[in-house]
Amino acid sequence: MEKKFDSIVVGGSISGLLCAREISRSGLSVAVLEEDYEIGTPEHCGGLVSIEGLKKLGIIPSSKAILNEVNKAKIVSSTKEFEVCTNRGEIIVLDRRELDKQVAFQAQKLGSQIRTRSLVMSVNYDSSKKEFIIKTKDNVFYSQFFIDARGITSLINNHNREGVLQSAQYEIYADWISPDEILVKFDKEKYPDFFAWIIPSGNGKGKVGVAGRKINTLETLESFIDSFGSKYSIIRKIYAPVWIGGPLKKFVYDNRIIIGDAAGQTKPTTAGGIFSCGMGGILAGNHIARYKRRIFNSLLNDYERDWFSIFGKEFQRMLFFRKIMERLDNKSIDALFSIVSDSDILEISRSANFDFHSLALSKILGSKKAIKLISTLLGNELRHLLN
Ligand SMILES: Cc1cc2nc3c(=O)[nH]c(=O)nc-3n(C[C@H](O)[C@H](O)[C@H](O)COP(=O)(O)OP(=O)(O)OC[C@H]3O[C@@H](n4cnc5c(N)ncnc54)[C@H](O)[C@@H]3O)c2cc1C
């Protein structure tokens, strides 16, 4: 078995596999070490993604990977609600187990070596040989570049935990699940700092979840499901943390490169990360290849620069909206929802961009009426936030 590679990616999920695919495309050698037995399993994801985002990731999902199409989103507060429509076929629900396998196939066709059941126990750098020594239980690997794509575990081990929320998601059969409408429910008392959701996954199934700060996710999720009636069957349960703290300041430390969830590349509003984490993987892979091949004096830091130029401002705005929502109680959120007009909703439906949704949020939170209301509710705190 080969043990020496130009690059080793630890973590065989969306960001790690896309990074490996790009490195292989340039002809460099790369191995992906994944602790689980099977790529894509267990699935820790709702699978909601835009077709446009997938195109940018270079993925045309197989029919096996597409579970459903969604056309509407119902946003609900404790007493109010409004509905936003999307164009048919723009937003789909994926089976992540299939999607990740599809990307693994793309990567291995180009030359990546993927090894499952390879839990990485330690990573050390030998400065005299300028190489990483990466140990699994059964093997030792060597590489010039180490790509950390270990997901939230990496963030939790190395950074403060403020940005981590616990979540639970069940996939269930229930006749009360709307076939093509997502539900997002805000309730500050039940889901502090986040929300509950239903993502219809086709054929009467749905992914129903909750996340929040310091909540008992199991009890909270079961009471959310029970609120719709007693008729349902659970076919899969997942418990996983989500990251809402925004990106790390740096993704590159010499030849150690952090991508995906491990770099905090998930949206601070919804914790969605297939697109933004996947782009992290692609940009890192491209820049590692350029740097190694010395193309136009390129630097590994160019990956960081490019990711921030695409997502930096957007994520900053999302963090700002998050801070506002965190400070509003249920009554204030109701008040905010009641000033969303039909023309606002029409405008959001027309112009909303799933992957860059801060513009849609600013239509709700940035209208004159909303700013006046938020200023009254938050007073000096808003000025502090704006600063
Ligand atoms: C409940 C839930 C619902 C979500 N829903 C959506 C959604 O609808 N849409 C969306 O866009 N995003 C969603 N996300 C977020 C999305 O799943 C992540 O942002 C995305 O999977 C991040 O990909 P990644 O490759 O960076 O990390 P991960 O997918 O977390 O993968 C990390 C990989 O590293 C492996 N690993 C960790 N440590 C080691 C080690 N020491 N050795 C070897 N391997 C290791 C893990 O086994 C795992 O395979 C959701 C997340 C959760 C938790």
Side-chain angles (χ1 to χ4, degrees), residues 11 13-15 34-36 44 46-48 96 120 260-261 266 273-274:
S13 182
I14 193 75
S15 63
E34 166 54 47
E35 67 177 327
D36 281 317
H44 293 301
L48 205 59
R96 274 294 299 273
V120 169
D261 266 8
T266 35
I274 298 174

Side-chain angles (χ1 to χ4, degrees), residues 14-15 259-261 265-266 273-282 307:
I14 193 75
S15 63
I259 60 173
D261 266 8
Q265 293 171 347
T266 35
I274 298 174
F275 173 58
S276 45
C277 290
M279 282 304 292
I282 289 182
W307 191 90

Side-chain angles (χ1 to χ4, degrees), residues 226-256:
D226 288 340
S227 70
F228 293 93
S230 54
K231 276 177 69 186
Y232 63 88
S233 300
I234 301 171
I235 48 177
R236 187 174 298 118
K237 290 185 176 185
I238 58 166
Y239 302 98
V242 290
W243 176 259
I244 48 147
L248 300 182
K249 286 200 172 69
K250 267 172 76 64
F251 304 152
V252 178
Y253 295 85
D254 298 321
N255 288 1
R256 179 166 74 91

Side-chain angles (χ1 to χ4, degrees), residues 287 290 296-307:
H287 283 297
R290 289 168 69 85
F296 298 124
N297 296 328
S298 67
L299 298 168
L300 289 173
N301 285 340
D302 293 346
Y303 146 53
E304 215 169 76
R305 180 205 62 199
D306 285 359
W307 191 90

Side-chain angles (χ1 to χ4, degrees), residues 7-236:
S7 297
I8 287 187
V9 179
V10 180
S13 182
I14 193 75
S15 63
L17 292 166
L18 285 169
C19 183
R21 185 189 75 185
E22 296 311 305
I23 294 173
S24 293
R25 199 190 294 285
S26 74
L28 298 177
S29 64
V30 56
V32 180
L33 304 176
E34 166 54 47
E35 67 177 327
D36 281 317
Y37 284 73
E38 188 181 331
I39 293 296
T41 306
E43 182 188 46
H44 293 301
C45 193
L48 205 59
V49 73
S50 73
I51 288 282
E52 196 50 39
L54 284 178
K55 264 192 213 153
K56 290 183 184 149
L57 298 179
I59 304 170
I60 300 167
S62 67
S63 55
K64 233 169 136 191
I66 301 177
L67 298 175
N68 200 13
E69 250 179 38
V70 293
N71 305 308
K72 292 174 274 181
K74 191 190 275 181
I75 322 286
V76 181
S77 68
S78 38
T79 62
K80 309 272 175 212
E81 64 180 54
F82 62 89
E83 198 178 66
V84 181
C85 296
T86 60
N87 289 332
R88 227 186 159 74
E90 264 177 17
I91 315 288
I92 55 172
V93 183
L94 288 173
D95 181 334
R96 274 294 299 273
R97 285 157 299 164
E98 288 301 328
L99 179 83
D100 288 15
K101 285 193 184 72
Q102 208 187 317
V103 181
F105 185 55
Q106 289 182 332
Q108 76 87 30
K109 265 204 309 196
L110 290 163
S112 302
Q113 296 201 25
I114 298 165
R115 305 216 198 290
T116 53
R117 216 182 156 203
S118 297
L119 168 69
V120 169
M121 320 273 272
S122 70
V123 179
N124 291 300
Y125 188 65
D126 180 339
S127 47
S128 62
K129 291 187 179 156
K130 295 196 171 149
E131 67 182 10
F132 287 95
I133 303 157
I134 298 177
K135 289 188 182 162
T136 64
K137 193 166 153 264
D138 306 315
N139 285 298
V140 184
F141 297 91
Y142 305 90
S143 70
Q144 185 184 351
F145 302 100
F146 156 51
I147 296 116
D148 182 353
R150 287 176 291 182
I152 290 185
T153 20
S154 175
L155 269 174
I156 293 176
N157 293 339
N158 299 323
H159 301 276
N160 84 49
R161 290 163 183 236
E162 262 301 287
V164 181
L165 300 180
Q166 289 309 318
S167 83
Q169 181 180 269
Y170 293 177
E171 189 158 7
I172 65 172
Y173 280 108
D175 58 11
W176 40 263
I177 293 174
S178 157
D180 64 350
E181 181 173 70
I182 304 164
L183 179 89
V184 175
K185 182 164 172 52
F186 290 94
D187 187 321
K188 196 68 196 217
E189 276 141 37
K190 293 181 183 159
Y191 329 112
D193 296 355
F194 213 75
F195 49 81
W197 66 89
I198 301 179
I199 300 172
S201 49
N203 300 323
K205 279 184 293 173
K207 302 180 189 188
V208 184
V210 297
R213 202 174 292 283
K214 294 188 184 139
I215 58 168
N216 178 330
T217 48
L218 190 149
E219 269 176 22
T220 313
L221 177 56
E222 295 198 348
S223 113
F224 177 56
I225 296 176
D226 288 340
S227 70
F228 293 93
S230 54
K231 276 177 69 186
Y232 63 88
S233 300
I234 301 171
I235 48 177
R236 187 174 298 118

